[in-house]
Amino acid sequence: MKKTILAIALVCMSACLWAGSPLKVKNLSCSDQKNPLCVENVRLGWQLESNLRGVGQVAYELQLYCGKTPVWKSGRVESKEQVNVVPLVTLDAGKNYTWRVRVWDDAQGKASEWSEWASFGTNIDEAWSAKWISTGQQKKEDALPYIRKTFGVGGKKINRAIVYLCGLGASDLYFNGALVDPARILDPAQTDYEKRALYSAFDVTKLLLP
């Protein structure tokens, strides 16, 4: 009787284990970053997790949205690729996109659950229209100039506010008296400013005041 009960238990455990795909999609990334605010080349990637050994991916499906608007749905793509996956759609500059992915396993060919949503923002290189800001009174001994701007939001509800900052060298962004990101040091990287100047993106949505 004990052997019979044990056999039934093993069959039940096996059935539960293989009811769906043994794969779980996690750690979504874009250009090797987690939810980046601004990327030049969109390259999507993800990792797989499974309680079973030797189980891999044979296909994937991506869904890409801008807000609530669907931008691209890949359908099932026969591929083992999990990195450097390029969306086959033209993306607009300075937009925020959300995406998710699911995969099919090579054990039973079943689809996994959809991953959690991830996001990325596109760069604004082609849409950049800003002008250089200067006091016009810079002295040689003033190594660290301060530039201040005051503005209002007019009582409107702002869904997303991004600051794109290019300071011709390292700079710190303060918003309503607070340093926006203390973790950034010597940001952005140094370049030959006669040829190219890098910029940084900061999400300041939660720092806005009425």
Side-chain angles (χ1 to χ4, degrees), residues 82-121:
Q82 297 169 232
V83 294
N84 296 327
V85 177
V86 181
L88 301 180
V89 64
T90 300
L91 302 176
D92 294 329
K95 295 291 186 178
N96 186 60
Y97 293 89
T98 56
W99 66 286
R100 64 178 182 172
V101 61
R102 65 175 178 173
V103 302
W104 280 262
D105 65 77
D106 58 7
Q108 285 191 324
K110 292 185 177 180
S112 69
E113 297 291 331
W114 284 101
S115 69
E116 295 184 357
W117 289 96
S119 66
F120 64 86

Side-chain angles (χ1 to χ4, degrees), residues 151-158 208-210:
F151 66 94
V153 297
K156 297 179 181 179
K157 180 181 179 181
I158 307 299
L208 293 174
L209 298 177

Side-chain angles (χ1 to χ4, degrees), residues 3 19 50 53 70 84 91 116 140 149 151 153 158-159 161 165 173 205-206:
K3 291 183 179 181
S50 176
R53 291 185 177 182
N84 296 327
L91 302 176
E116 295 184 357
K140 292 183 179 180
K149 174 69 175 179
F151 66 94
V153 297
I158 307 299
N159 294 323
L165 172 63
L173 176 65
T205 309
K206 295 182 179 180

Side-chain angles (χ1 to χ4, degrees), residues 128-138 142 144-151 163-169 171 173 197:
W128 188 277
S129 60
K131 296 181 180 180
W132 290 112
I133 301 173
S134 174
T135 63
Q137 302 175 352
Q138 188 67 22
D142 293 339
L144 299 174
Y146 287 85
I147 298 174
R148 179 184 177 94
K149 174 69 175 179
T150 301
F151 66 94
V163 171
Y164 300 96
L165 172 63
C166 178
L168 284 184
S171 55
L173 176 65

